[in-house]
Amino acid sequence: MTDRALSILSRAYIGLAFAFIFAPIITLVIFAFNENRFPSLPWAGFSLDWFRVVLGDAAVREAARRSVIVALVVATLATILGATAAYCVTRWEFPGKSLYLGFVVAPPCIPLLILGLALLIYLRQLQLAGSLRAVIISHTVIAAPFALGIIRLRLAELDPHLEQAAWNLGANEWAAIRGVVLPQAWPALIAAFLLAMTVSWDEFVIAWFVSGLQITLPVYIWTSFQAEISTAVNAIGTIVFAVSITFVLLAEFVLFRHAEARERTRW
């Protein structure tokens, strides 16, 4: 088999894989604009009525408000925790560093069903289960490792001698971090913030366990599906997906532009 044939087959395989992954999402988006009340064929015609219905629903707006609050607080906490942990593991050597790093990045590797049940039991002991604080704590647990990964990659690229030079010039450690590290790490911090928001905004399983009556938008979608599968629910899902993909694209844009500017500066 020639190299050209292999290239065509590999591209076709990748295309089929992406089609398989995105087919449910594309179907959801298409039926969100369907004039028919139920997502079924044949397509009745293009309509924005279901988005008007969704945006006019007080329950949807309240669930969205909770999701926004949770996502913003979680992104802030996860970025702070991820940045401090990333600085710790990239700048200091200490006994058990590998164990510490493995422990910090473990939550996303745990099945969400098990993690959600464990968090529910733990937060119930603290009398926090069933509140937005429970959702914020739980989402921070799974979002912080993602922030850590992005920020750690950026800090690993920075020359630690820059901080040492700042110390030699009379700056203390905090002044060196503010004046040297943060200005060069800000794209990673923004990307980590946006990615943590995406993780929190999309997360359903753990929120379903710990939120109680304070449900977020993904949990509202699930409970709506339990009642009936309607085009209005597809409209909500489309809005959630659009917000999520926007956060991801913004994070990629920030990192890409910074990498591009760094390359231009290097040359």
Side-chain angles (χ1 to χ4, degrees):
M1 188 176 289
T2 64
D3 292 341
R4 179 177 176 80
L6 283 173
S7 176
I8 293 173
L9 285 175
S10 62
R11 290 179 181 179
Y13 175 79
I14 293 172
L16 288 173
F18 274 105
F20 177 78
I21 293 170
F22 286 103
I25 299 174
I26 294 172
T27 302
L28 178 143
V29 173
I30 290 174
F31 279 113
F33 296 94
N34 190 7
E35 195 175 77
N36 195 355
R37 178 179 178 182
F38 300 103
S40 59
L41 294 173
W43 208 59
F46 181 85
S47 175
L48 295 175
D49 290 343
W50 299 110
F51 289 91
R52 298 189 188 98
V53 170
V54 164
L55 295 176
D57 191 329
V60 174
R61 292 200 304 270
E62 181 61 22
R65 184 188 69 84
R66 295 192 194 104
S67 287
V68 170
I69 293 172
V70 170
L72 288 172
V73 176
V74 167
T76 302
L77 294 176
T79 303
I80 293 172
L81 292 173
T84 52
Y87 190 81
C88 175
V89 297
T90 55
R91 292 296 185 266
W92 297 331
E93 294 295 333
F94 52 89
K97 177 179 175 179
S98 298
L99 181 63
Y100 167 77
L101 186 59
F103 178 78
V104 169
V105 302
C109 303
I110 301 172
L112 291 179
L113 191 64
I114 297 174
L115 184 60
L117 182 59
L119 285 167
L120 174 61
I121 295 171
Y122 176 70
L123 292 169
R124 183 171 289 173
Q125 298 299 318
L126 299 178
Q127 298 182 348
L128 291 174
S131 66
L132 277 189
R133 288 178 294 174
V135 182
I136 289 170
I137 292 170
S138 301
H139 282 187
T140 302
V141 169
I142 60 173
F146 291 98
L148 163 65
I150 293 176
I151 299 170
R152 184 189 176 199
L153 288 175
R154 177 57 186 144
L155 293 181
E157 295 175 347
L158 298 181
D159 189 348
H161 294 97
L162 293 175
E163 294 155 75
Q164 296 174 11
W167 298 338
N168 291 334
L169 293 173
N172 57 33
E173 291 188 2
W174 290 111
I177 291 173
R178 288 195 306 270
V180 177
V181 177
L182 290 181
Q184 299 188 68
W186 70 265
L189 294 172
I190 294 176
F193 182 89
L194 292 171
L195 184 58
M197 278 194 71
T198 305
V199 171
S200 176
W201 175 259
D202 285 337
E203 204 287 318
F204 155 71
V205 176
I206 293 177
W208 183 76
F209 269 100
V210 304
S211 61
L213 297 177
Q214 303 294 316
I215 62 173
T216 57
L217 199 53
V219 179
Y220 179 87
I221 294 173
W222 170 255
T223 55
S224 298
F225 263 123
Q226 296 295 90
E228 65 173 347
I229 300 176
S230 69
T231 306
V233 177
N234 286 348
I236 302 173
T238 300
I239 294 171
V240 172
F241 173 73
V243 173
S244 300
I245 202 67
T246 299
F247 288 154
V248 173
L249 290 176
L250 284 174
E252 288 289 335
F253 175 77
V254 170
L255 290 176
F256 176 78
R257 286 297 299 272
H258 179 69
E260 196 177 53
R262 201 164 64 242
E263 285 296 323
R264 287 199 301 267
T265 304
R266 184 178 300 175
W267 293 102

